[in-house]
Amino acid sequence: MTGRSTPDPIGLEVRWDRLAAATDEAATTMLRTAFSTIIRESNDYTVVLMDRRGRTVAESRAGIPAFAALMSSLADLVLRRFPADQWLDGDCVITNDPWIATGHLPDIAMITPVFHRGSLVGFTGTAAHSPDIGGTSTLDATDLLAEGVLIPPLRLFRGGRVEQGVKDLLLANVRLPDEVWGDLEAQAAAHAVCRRRAREFLDDFGESGFEEFAEAVHAMADAAMRAAIAAVPDGVYRSCLDADGVTGRPTHIECAVEVRGEDITVDYAGSSQQVPFAVNSTLNYTRAYSMYPLKVLLDPATRTNWGSYRAIRVRAPEGTIVNPTFPAPVLARHLTGHLLSCALYQALAPVLPDRVIADSGGAPALRVRFAGQDDDGHPFGLMLFANAGMGASRASDGLSTTAFPTNSGVGGIEALEVSSPLRFVRKELRAGSGGAGRRRGGLGQVIEVHNPTRRPVQMVLLGDREHHPALGLAGGGPGAPARAVLSTGERVSLKSSSELAPGASVVISFAGGGGFGDPQEREPELRLADEVAGYTTEEDSA
């Protein structure tokens, strides 16, 4: 692809697909070499390839899409700290700064350069959830510094050699150093694969760098998104919603979506002020979980890169739960950030009724962390990623036990049991949890976890939807709220830290998605099919 002629769109798509395949291969490498189940089972990561300016060109098609949307702004900030002329082949910079990277300390982002024939031609990037980052894993922290180790942009490798001081400092402050370092090495392995495939790409197509190719694919993605926005009538569309908040004080999100020609602006003015609890969402996380839901709503078919988001602007007043100031606690930032998809779709429902979905029970996702020691005294930590029901659309029922707007999953129960002494007694669809409607909300699920050891296990729940269930649209009903109940019958708050006693169990019921349309208009044959499949309860059928 030389010269300045208009690129062949078919040839461009073939090349773009090849680079996406390279990021997918790199992601597979990370999954197969990671130590923790958070990466290899729950897909809490992203892999991207970027041009010399740090703008994403290709993104892995698994992992967390919203993370990929953050990587360009992350790389831009890293390149201000480490200008392009200071990089060596084999360098590696890491950071988990929530205001730079993916919004909370457990996610460690990594940037490495791509050199081709002695010249810097691009960068590879990953972000992955670490199994431990020190500090507290509960909502007790009232500032960021109590939540774990804050890593500003630092070189972890210089010219291919480990910066031993950085490694030692990090591992001295985490509870699971072997797993943490193993996952960082898995990220580094993914970067090595991505760099190798990128160089092969340039050799095979006779290119000296990615600049011309990047310009073409950025323009393609940008044009597709702008065309999709232009098809939406101009106007300002508004919504608001409440979340459970913390200590009985709900938090509030105000959303205004302004469409003007080929541009779209999202404004969260009027949202709650930041709180001294970990539900604050940094602006970059707010931007990511605003841009990604709009991308899948307006332009789902075009592959994503930096150009996909140029037409979208996101604003939020400083000092609010969607743009907190340092050092606000942000460990559970997803409890606010994931809700933004619901606010956006409710705002746009009047103008895009055939495309939006009702609220999803997994917006925000419910996470449960178990930690303790087995009977032999060996420490373990396990994060349970499991999915609730998606909201229904005008055309179809919501998907059951499906992640949205994230893309993480529980993974194999067998793998979770191998990595901890806990036993999973039950994992089944939650009958009756989908919101009623002409189109039913997706079902949540019920998971029962048993502690067979002689030692108590710490259980930390980070969730919402306990008092504010997923809302329906166009007359559809809400999904069932989430809850957690111990084998003693005691109900456990979804924002709490407690102990799972030896021999005890906890039953976690994940929320259902909202319904769409008048429930009285649901076709009799679909009602019957729901009853036969066990998706409804006697109460639903009455």
Side-chain angles (χ1 to χ4, degrees):
M1 209 172 86
T2 57
R4 291 292 173 184
S5 59
T6 302
D8 167 32
I10 296 177
L12 189 63
E13 183 66 32
V14 169
R15 297 183 185 201
W16 199 359
D17 189 69
R18 174 164 169 179
L19 286 180
T23 61
D24 287 342
E25 182 183 352
T28 299
T29 299
M30 189 194 306
L31 293 175
R32 291 181 175 176
T33 57
F35 279 43
S36 75
T37 57
I38 296 177
I39 295 177
R40 57 185 167 86
E41 294 292 328
S42 299
N43 300 316
D44 199 347
Y45 71 90
T46 192
V47 180
V48 300
L49 176 66
M50 299 174 280
D51 64 13
R52 197 173 185 275
R53 294 166 62 184
R55 303 174 302 178
T56 59
V57 175
E59 304 171 358
S60 61
R61 287 166 279 198
I64 309 297
F67 281 9
L70 288 169
M71 295 305 289
S72 295
S73 60
L74 164 65
D76 179 65
L77 291 168
V78 169
L79 285 172
R80 295 183 197 178
R81 172 70 176 81
F82 300 101
D85 60 1
Q86 295 182 11
W87 290 79
L88 301 177
D89 198 1
D91 278 2
C92 168
V93 169
I94 61 169
T95 182
N96 68 346
D97 186 331
W99 279 261
I100 296 175
T102 62
H104 71 171
L105 296 177
D107 290 342
I108 299 178
M110 183 179 289
I111 304 289
T112 64
V114 180
F115 281 84
H116 181 245
R117 298 177 181 173
S119 298
L120 177 66
V121 295
F123 293 89
T124 61
T126 61
H129 192 300
S130 177
D132 188 75
I133 201 64
T136 179
S137 59
T138 74
L139 292 174
D140 296 337
T142 57
D143 65 40
L144 179 76
L145 302 181
E147 293 186 327
V149 182
L150 173 61
I151 310 169
L154 293 174
R155 290 191 179 100
L156 183 61
F157 293 88
R158 180 61 166 168
R161 293 179 178 272
V162 175
E163 293 282 8
Q164 194 63 41
V166 175
K167 176 184 175 181
D168 291 345
L169 179 62
L170 173 60
L171 299 188
N173 285 279
V174 299
R175 303 173 185 87
L176 303 170
D178 291 342
E179 287 192 33
V180 170
W181 185 248
D183 281 2
L184 285 171
E185 288 190 312
Q187 285 182 252
H191 283 255
V193 170
C194 202
R195 293 197 304 272
R196 183 169 67 250
R197 296 302 185 217
R199 289 192 290 265
E200 290 173 357
F201 173 92
L202 295 175
D203 283 336
D204 289 349
F205 290 102
E207 298 290 338
S208 59
F210 290 108
E211 293 310 300
E212 188 176 345
F213 172 82
E215 183 180 338
V217 293
H218 291 155
M220 178 186 290
D222 181 48
M225 177 57 83
R226 290 185 183 278
I229 295 171
V232 181
D234 284 2
V236 179
Y237 309 100
R238 300 180 183 275
S239 72
C240 63
L241 58 82
D242 292 323
D244 292 350
V246 184
T247 65
R249 291 178 291 178
T251 51
H252 183 75
I253 294 173
E254 286 278 347
C255 177
V257 183
E258 181 178 6
V259 179
R260 288 286 178 264
E262 297 182 340
D263 294 284
I264 192 166
T265 300
V266 180
D267 195 324
Y268 293 108
S271 297
S272 292
Q273 293 298 299
Q274 69 184 65
V275 294
F277 304 102
V279 298
N280 302 291
S281 171
T282 59
L283 182 59
N284 55 341
Y285 195 79
T286 293
R287 289 180 62 249
Y289 275 93
S290 301
M291 295 188 300
Y292 172 67
L294 289 173
K295 174 69 171 75
V296 297
L297 177 70
L298 299 172
D299 179 33
T302 307
R303 201 189 315 278
T304 53
N305 62 35
W306 174 77
S308 302
Y309 306 113
R310 286 195 292 191
I312 303 173
R313 294 173 180 82
V314 179
R315 297 196 298 249
E318 190 173 59
T320 60
I321 57 169
V322 285
N323 184 13
T325 58
F326 181 89
V330 292
L331 176 68
R333 85 290 195 221
H334 71 284
L335 297 184
T336 295
H338 286 183
L339 279 169
L340 302 178
S341 63
C342 302
L344 289 165
Y345 290 173
Q346 288 181 26
L348 291 169
V351 71
L352 296 174
D354 296 331
R355 300 170 74 175
V356 296
I357 63 172
D359 288 5
S360 292
L366 169 58
R367 301 289 184 241
V368 187
R369 178 177 172 82
F370 298 96
Q373 295 180 343
D374 63 21
D375 285 335
D376 294 324
H378 299 132
F380 74 91
L382 177 69
M383 181 72 82
L384 175 61
F385 287 70
N387 301 322
M390 280 186 67
S393 68
R394 173 172 284 185
S396 62
D397 293 342
L399 298 175
S400 297
T401 62
T402 301
F404 185 81
T406 184
N407 193 34
S408 57
V410 66
I413 292 299
E414 297 82 0
L416 299 181
E417 290 187 333
V418 166
S419 64
S420 80
L422 301 177
R423 292 294 173 262
F424 287 75
V425 178
R426 179 163 45 124
K427 186 175 187 292
E428 61 190 24
L429 290 174
R430 184 184 178 190
S433 58
R438 186 172 187 272
R439 295 293 171 255
R440 172 183 47 74
L443 303 184
Q445 61 183 308
V446 177
I447 298 179
E448 183 175 353
V449 184
H450 175 65
N451 174 15
T453 75
R454 298 187 299 273
R455 302 169 184 262
V457 171
Q458 183 192 41
M459 180 175 67
V460 178
L461 290 100
L462 302 175
D464 206 273
R465 296 291 188 201
E466 191 171 9
H467 306 294
H468 293 81
L471 300 178
L473 279 176
R483 65 172 181 260
V485 180
L486 295 174
S487 49
T488 60
E490 178 187 355
R491 188 157 175 170
V492 185
S493 168
L494 297 187
K495 293 184 178 72
S496 67
S497 175
S498 59
E499 283 190 346
L500 189 60
S505 299
V506 61
V507 177
I508 306 162
S509 300
F510 290 77
F516 196 106
D518 186 348
Q520 299 302 318
E521 296 180 0
R522 188 164 178 81
E523 297 86 337
E525 60 271 23
L526 294 183
R527 292 176 181 270
L528 178 60
D530 284 344
E531 292 179 24
V532 172
Y535 293 165
T536 56
T537 62
E538 291 183 9
E539 198 172 287
D540 298 321
S541 304

